[in-house]
């Protein structure tokens, strides 16, 4: 008997590889030099499309395979030199990539796809293959594309179907009553005559049911099908019906010699556009679910805590009597750190995974806004934790769109100001200590201080003319704040920058702005490399130990009595090098018992967040250490001014201070007191 293979267990890998293939196609298309198209780049695009088509056909996703067939034919003409690549071709193929993403997503999730998008791009491909002048198809009218009607059904019964008294032909007869139908019989599973069993079923069927039957009516006919049978039901692709008059109305020609609206360049062009594919040159890699990596990281975190407890308990041992034990603990400490670093590295991904999507975003939006833009990316290989990368993508997307819409001027305005007609948006990433710094900058008009202050006053946001620039720029992160004169579908509704800041702060990061007059805007985002480990400073208040993120600490000192002042409307401040900083007692903040010390008898730690500094009063500096972060909210509840918790070597729980939240809340309290 032939061995049956359950292909469904390979579906996850197929979809992962197909989506990676689409990323390769998109990046290669954006890197393609139309005036001198590189043969290898075109081959890269063709191979990606061919792999998707082959996989879709193998696993029975006919809608994907059928659609990709025409795409593959068009690409084959390009790589063979029969067709010269044009901007219209690149535009069409970029839309094809979007449609394929939708088709693959629908096939993976069992949902409906955008039939109109499928049909319109199929019509464009058909015209391109017919040798027509490059075109852009506008809104396709019903006269051109018929709505998708019908269902594609793939049915593969189990081998002993007949023994249960069932007959697959009765399904075909039942479907025939619902509308016209095409039937294909798959005999690939038939064994040799000598090996055949008369009571076994070896055939499979592919049925295309046309008409307006509902999914429920189709599924009812298959209600008797058992789990061992393979059944796939998906909407039948829309039928394209092209007629010349309607097509003529829908086709918009490209004006000869018209310059491209978007110019996207890479700062460090790769020798091959396939270099961004995670699978290139990675033959020794395996796919591992993130849940397994997370479980491993948690276990390593527990190991670090246990090792710290052992080290602390061994601190009082006689080093001569227990020399071998202490040497073993030292070796354990070293190996634990190495293991921790190795496991954390498995979750690290290059920033290229985020940056690679922006050439397409910039290209499309620049065309829409009629602006000429150059995108420069630096530091794509800088690595960041996967969980952080997933959550930083949307904030970066909003910042890039803001730079394009609000920051960069039109070509005419830039020329009038003596600037290059093509504006520049720069994305960069780099490591600084235990953090990663991501910058989004442009060479546009910059921020208008007077306009921001006027808008803040109009909205009742506390501000003053004496505020430093860094504080004024932070006003644009207020909920609902926008200086846009006109609301568009790109930006201007004031529902984005506050979300950007909130999302970055949720990752334990901070965001700052700088904007020299008329010279553009620079957004600086600082993030921890990982959400699992933190370099911290241990501080004591009474019997409790707290952790301050080391990246937020500037310095610590014991102030003299004359450095501490009480100012009307601002509370207690401490003077550090002619700068007066608000003083906040951590004991009072958390309502801890015990006698409050005078500032001159305590320790003051200067911390900074979002361009604001704060003096934080504590009792004692304990030391510096790397801690494993535990979610306090998931295990207890949210606590004001606390971002998480960790377990110390002696088994006690220590809270990790949310410096950003405390600085913000302290600043708000000072503003309220000043207003009163």
């Amino acid at each position: 008997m032939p061995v049956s293979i359950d292909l469904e267990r390979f579906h996850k890998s197929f979809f992962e590889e197909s989506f990676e293939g689409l990323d390769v196609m998109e990046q290669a298309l954006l890197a393609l030099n139309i005036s001198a198209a590189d043969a290898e780049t075109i081959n890269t695009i063709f191979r990606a499309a061919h792999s998707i088509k082959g996989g879709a056909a193998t696993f029975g996703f006919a809608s994907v395979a059928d659609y990709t067939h025409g795409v593959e034919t068009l690409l084959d003409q390009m790589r063979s030199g029969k067709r010269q690549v044009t901007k219209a071709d690149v535009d069409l193929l970029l839309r094809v990539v979007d449609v394929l993403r939708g088709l693959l997503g629908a096939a993976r999730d069992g949902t409906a796809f955008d039939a109109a998008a499928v049909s319109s791009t199929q019509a464009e491909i058909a015209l391109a293959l017919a040798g027509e002048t490059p075109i852009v198809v506008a809104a396709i009218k019903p006269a051109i594309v018929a709505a998708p009607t019908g269902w594609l059904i793939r049915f593969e019964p189990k081998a002993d179907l007949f023994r249960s008294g069932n007959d697959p032909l009765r399904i075909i007869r039942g479907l025939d009553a619902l509308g016209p139908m095409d039937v294909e019989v798959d005999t690939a599973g038939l064994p040799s005559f000598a090996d055949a069993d008369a009571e076994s079923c070896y055939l499979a069927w592919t049925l295309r049911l046309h008409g307006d039957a509902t999914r429920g009516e189709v599924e009812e006919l298959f209600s008797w099908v058992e789990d061992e049978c393979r059944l796939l039901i998906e909407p039948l692709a829309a039928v394209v019906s092209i007629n010349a008059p309607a097509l003529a109305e829908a086709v918009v020609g490209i004006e000869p010699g018209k310059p491209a609206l978007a110019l996207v360049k890479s700062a460090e062009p790769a020798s091959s556009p396939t270099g961004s594919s995670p699978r290139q040159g990675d033959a020794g890699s395996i796919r591992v679910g993130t849940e397994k990596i997370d479980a491993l990281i948690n276990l390593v975190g527990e190991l670090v805590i246990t090792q710290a407890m052992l080290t602390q308990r061994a601190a009082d041992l006689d080093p001569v009597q227990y020399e071998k034990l202490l040497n073993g603990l030292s070796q354990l400490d070293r190996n634990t750190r190495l293991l921790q670093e190795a496991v954390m590295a498995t979750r690290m991904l290059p920033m290229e995974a985020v940056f690679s999507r922006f050439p397409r975003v910039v290209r499309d939006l620049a065309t829409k806004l009629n602006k000429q833009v150059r995108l420069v990316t630096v530091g794509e290989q800088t690595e960041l934790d996967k969980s952080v990368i997933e959550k930083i993508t949307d904030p970066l997307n909003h910042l890039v769109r803001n730079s394009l819409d609000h920051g960069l001027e039109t070509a005419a305005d830039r020329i009038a100001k003596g600037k290059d007609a093509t504006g520049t948006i720069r994305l960069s990433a780099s490591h600084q200590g235990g953090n990663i710094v991501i910058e989004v900058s442009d060479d546009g008009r910059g921020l208008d201080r007077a306009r921001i202050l006027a808008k803040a006053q109009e909205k009742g946001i506390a501000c003053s003319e004496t505020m430093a620039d860094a504080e004024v720029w932070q006003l644009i992160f207020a909920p609902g704040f926008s200086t846009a004169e006109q609301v568009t579908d790109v930006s201007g509704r004031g529902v984005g920058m506050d979300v950007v800041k909130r999302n970055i702060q949720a990752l334990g990061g901070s965001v700052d702005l700088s904007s020299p007059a008329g010279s553009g805007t620079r957004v600086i985002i600082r993030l921890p490399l990982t959400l699992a480990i933190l370099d911290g400073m241990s501080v004591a208040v009474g019997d409790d130990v707290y952790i301050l993120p080391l990246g937020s600490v500037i310095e610590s000192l014991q102030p003299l009595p004359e450095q501490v002042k009480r100012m009307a409307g601002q509370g207690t401040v401490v003077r550090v090098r002619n700068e007066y900083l608000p003083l906040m007692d951590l004991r009072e903040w958390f309502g801890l018992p015990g006698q409050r010390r005078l500032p001159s008898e305590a320790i003051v730690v200067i911390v900074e967040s979002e361009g604001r500094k704060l003096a934080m009063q504590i009792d004692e500096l304990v030391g510096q250490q790397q801690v494993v972060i535990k979610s306090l909210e998931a295990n207890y509840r949210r606590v004001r001014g606390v971002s998480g918790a960790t377990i110390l070597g002696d088994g006690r729980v220590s809270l990790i201070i949310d410096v950003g939240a405390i600085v913000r809340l302290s600043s708000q309290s000072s503003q309220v007191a000043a207003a009163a």
Side-chain angles (χ1 to χ4, degrees):
M1 293 289 291
V3 178
S4 61
I5 300 177
D6 180 13
L7 295 180
E8 289 188 9
R9 63 194 178 99
F10 300 111
H11 283 185
K12 183 178 180 182
S13 294
F14 161 70
F15 286 118
E16 288 177 350
E17 292 174 6
S18 295
F19 282 116
E20 287 174 3
L22 289 178
D23 290 340
V24 170
M25 286 181 67
E26 183 174 79
Q27 292 160 22
L29 284 165
L30 291 168
L32 193 63
N33 186 343
I34 297 173
S35 60
D38 176 55
E40 180 55 33
T41 303
I42 296 176
N43 277 328
T44 296
I45 302 168
F46 176 85
R47 285 194 297 268
H50 181 72
S51 297
I52 293 171
K53 174 194 169 184
T58 300
F59 295 111
F61 300 114
S63 59
V64 178
D66 292 347
Y67 181 80
T68 315
H69 178 73
V71 179
E72 185 184 47
T73 305
L74 180 61
L75 289 168
D76 189 49
Q77 286 188 359
M78 293 177 181
R79 70 170 186 162
S80 65
K82 296 178 181 178
R83 180 181 184 84
Q84 184 177 355
V85 182
T86 65
K87 181 181 182 297
D89 290 333
V90 174
D91 291 341
L92 169 58
L93 289 170
L94 285 171
R95 291 196 297 276
V96 162
V97 168
D98 294 336
V99 172
L100 273 172
R101 279 202 182 97
L103 281 171
L104 284 166
R108 179 193 59 196
D109 304 331
T111 57
F113 54 82
D114 187 346
V118 170
S119 300
S120 62
T121 48
Q122 280 179 326
E124 291 182 72
I125 292 170
L127 284 169
L129 291 173
E132 298 290 339
T133 304
I135 58 170
V136 176
V137 176
I140 301 298
K141 299 186 177 181
I144 301 176
V145 181
T149 56
W151 301 92
L152 176 70
I153 305 160
R154 170 75 178 174
F155 178 50
E156 186 177 328
K158 62 179 183 178
D160 61 350
L161 177 75
F162 298 142
R163 295 192 182 97
S164 61
N166 285 303
D167 177 8
L169 294 180
R170 74 173 182 172
I171 297 177
I172 296 177
R173 287 191 290 269
L175 287 170
D176 191 49
L178 296 178
M181 181 174 55
D182 303 320
V183 180
E184 295 178 12
V185 181
D186 184 357
T187 60
L190 278 174
S192 64
F193 184 78
D195 296 329
D197 180 356
E199 295 185 357
S200 294
C201 179
Y202 302 106
L203 302 178
W205 288 268
T206 299
L207 309 105
R208 290 178 175 82
L209 175 64
H210 305 282
D212 56 359
T214 65
R215 178 184 284 272
E217 291 174 320
V218 175
E219 290 177 343
E220 185 177 355
L221 292 171
F222 288 90
S223 59
W224 58 273
V225 171
E226 301 179 27
D227 292 339
E228 292 82 357
C229 300
R230 290 190 62 228
L231 175 64
L232 172 70
I233 303 174
E234 61 178 352
L236 194 62
V239 179
V240 181
S241 173
I242 303 177
N243 63 69
L247 185 62
E249 293 179 17
V251 172
V252 179
I254 298 178
E255 296 178 21
K258 186 175 181 179
L261 296 178
L263 175 61
V264 181
K265 296 181 179 179
S266 172
E268 302 169 356
S271 57
S272 169
T274 60
S276 62
S277 171
R279 300 180 58 80
Q280 291 291 324
D282 213 7
S285 66
I286 59 173
R287 293 184 184 274
V288 179
T290 53
E291 67 280 355
K292 293 181 180 178
I293 299 294
D294 290 342
L296 189 58
I297 288 174
N298 283 334
L299 288 173
V300 171
E302 295 299 326
L303 178 61
V304 170
I305 293 170
T306 303
Q307 181 272 328
M309 293 174 66
L310 290 173
T311 300
Q312 185 163 331
R313 296 296 174 90
D316 298 329
L317 296 179
D318 185 340
V320 177
Q321 183 179 357
Y322 295 98
E323 179 183 3
K324 292 184 178 179
L325 175 60
L326 294 175
N327 286 340
L329 287 175
S330 177
Q331 185 70 24
L332 174 63
D333 177 60
R334 186 161 49 251
N335 290 339
T336 299
R337 295 298 174 188
L338 290 174
L339 177 62
Q340 182 186 50
E341 291 173 5
V343 172
M344 293 305 301
T346 62
R347 281 192 62 94
M348 304 299 278
L349 292 176
M351 281 301 296
E352 182 183 28
V354 178
F355 286 178
S356 62
R357 70 184 58 202
F358 287 108
R360 177 71 186 278
V361 172
V362 170
R363 183 184 192 276
D364 292 348
L365 190 54
T367 301
K368 184 174 185 177
L369 296 173
N370 194 22
K371 293 181 179 180
Q372 296 180 15
V373 186
R374 179 188 301 109
L375 177 65
V376 176
T377 56
V378 178
E380 295 96 326
Q381 298 309 312
T382 305
E383 292 189 330
L384 184 61
D385 190 287
K386 179 179 183 294
S387 60
V388 182
I389 277 185
E390 291 171 347
K391 295 173 182 175
I392 196 61
T393 301
D394 285 344
L396 285 180
N397 184 60
H398 189 89
L399 291 174
V400 169
R401 293 173 69 88
N402 250 17
S403 288
L404 253 167
D405 192 21
H406 291 306
L408 295 182
E409 310 94 334
T410 62
D413 289 341
R414 292 180 64 85
I415 292 172
K417 294 178 181 178
K419 295 183 177 181
D420 184 352
T422 300
T424 299
I425 293 178
R426 188 175 186 271
L427 281 170
S428 69
S430 61
H431 284 148
Q432 291 185 12
N435 294 322
I436 184 173
V437 176
I438 303 172
E439 294 187 11
V440 182
S441 60
D442 63 67
D443 63 349
R445 59 175 60 91
L447 298 177
D448 188 330
R449 175 188 171 97
R451 193 171 176 186
I452 291 173
L453 285 171
K455 182 63 70 170
Q457 291 169 355
E458 178 186 318
K459 289 187 169 293
I461 300 172
C463 61
S464 70
E465 296 291 341
T466 59
M467 292 172 67
D469 283 348
E471 293 180 290
V472 173
W473 307 149
Q474 287 291 325
L475 294 174
I476 70 173
F477 292 110
F481 188 93
S482 175
T483 58
E485 295 178 352
Q486 185 177 0
V487 172
T488 69
D489 59 349
V490 177
S491 58
R493 296 183 183 275
V495 289
M497 294 302 285
D498 60 321
V499 176
V500 167
K501 185 175 181 179
R502 190 162 60 246
N503 289 347
I504 291 171
Q505 289 172 343
L507 295 172
S510 63
V511 55
D512 296 305
L513 287 165
S514 67
S515 182
S519 301
T521 305
R522 183 166 164 246
V523 184
I524 306 105
I525 299 170
R526 291 179 175 84
L527 294 167
L529 289 178
T530 173
L531 301 183
I533 304 293
L534 173 73
D535 286 319
M537 176 183 285
S538 305
V539 300
V541 180
D543 296 329
D544 296 312
V545 175
Y546 296 88
I547 305 295
L548 289 172
L550 205 57
S552 301
V553 176
I554 299 176
E555 62 179 311
S556 60
L557 54 94
Q558 186 170 21
L560 299 173
E562 58 268 24
Q563 287 181 269
V564 182
K565 306 286 184 182
R566 184 159 188 86
M567 300 180 68
Q570 295 188 37
T572 305
V573 297
V574 59
R575 180 172 55 84
V576 180
R577 288 184 291 277
N578 296 322
E579 184 179 9
Y580 286 92
L581 305 176
L583 180 64
M584 186 273 294
D585 190 338
L586 207 59
R587 182 187 299 276
E588 286 188 352
W589 178 273
F590 288 113
L592 301 176
Q595 184 67 34
R596 180 188 177 186
R597 295 185 183 183
L598 293 173
S600 58
E601 298 174 354
I603 300 293
V604 169
V605 179
I606 310 300
V607 295
E608 183 177 20
S609 177
E610 303 168 12
R612 299 189 183 98
K613 293 180 182 179
L614 176 70
M616 196 174 288
Q617 181 176 323
I618 59 169
D619 291 345
E620 183 183 355
L621 291 173
V622 178
Q624 182 179 327
Q625 65 185 106
Q626 197 173 61
V627 298
V628 179
I629 302 172
K630 300 289 185 181
S631 172
L632 189 66
E633 191 171 356
N635 297 289
Y636 175 54
R637 64 177 176 83
R638 187 170 184 81
V639 177
R640 188 186 67 156
V642 174
S643 61
T646 191
I647 301 175
L648 301 176
D650 58 6
R652 289 187 297 166
V653 174
S654 178
L655 299 180
I656 300 171
I657 302 298
D658 186 346
V659 173
I662 290 181
V663 169
R664 285 193 304 276
L665 292 169
S666 297
S667 176
Q668 290 170 7
S669 299
S670 298
Q671 290 174 2
V672 170

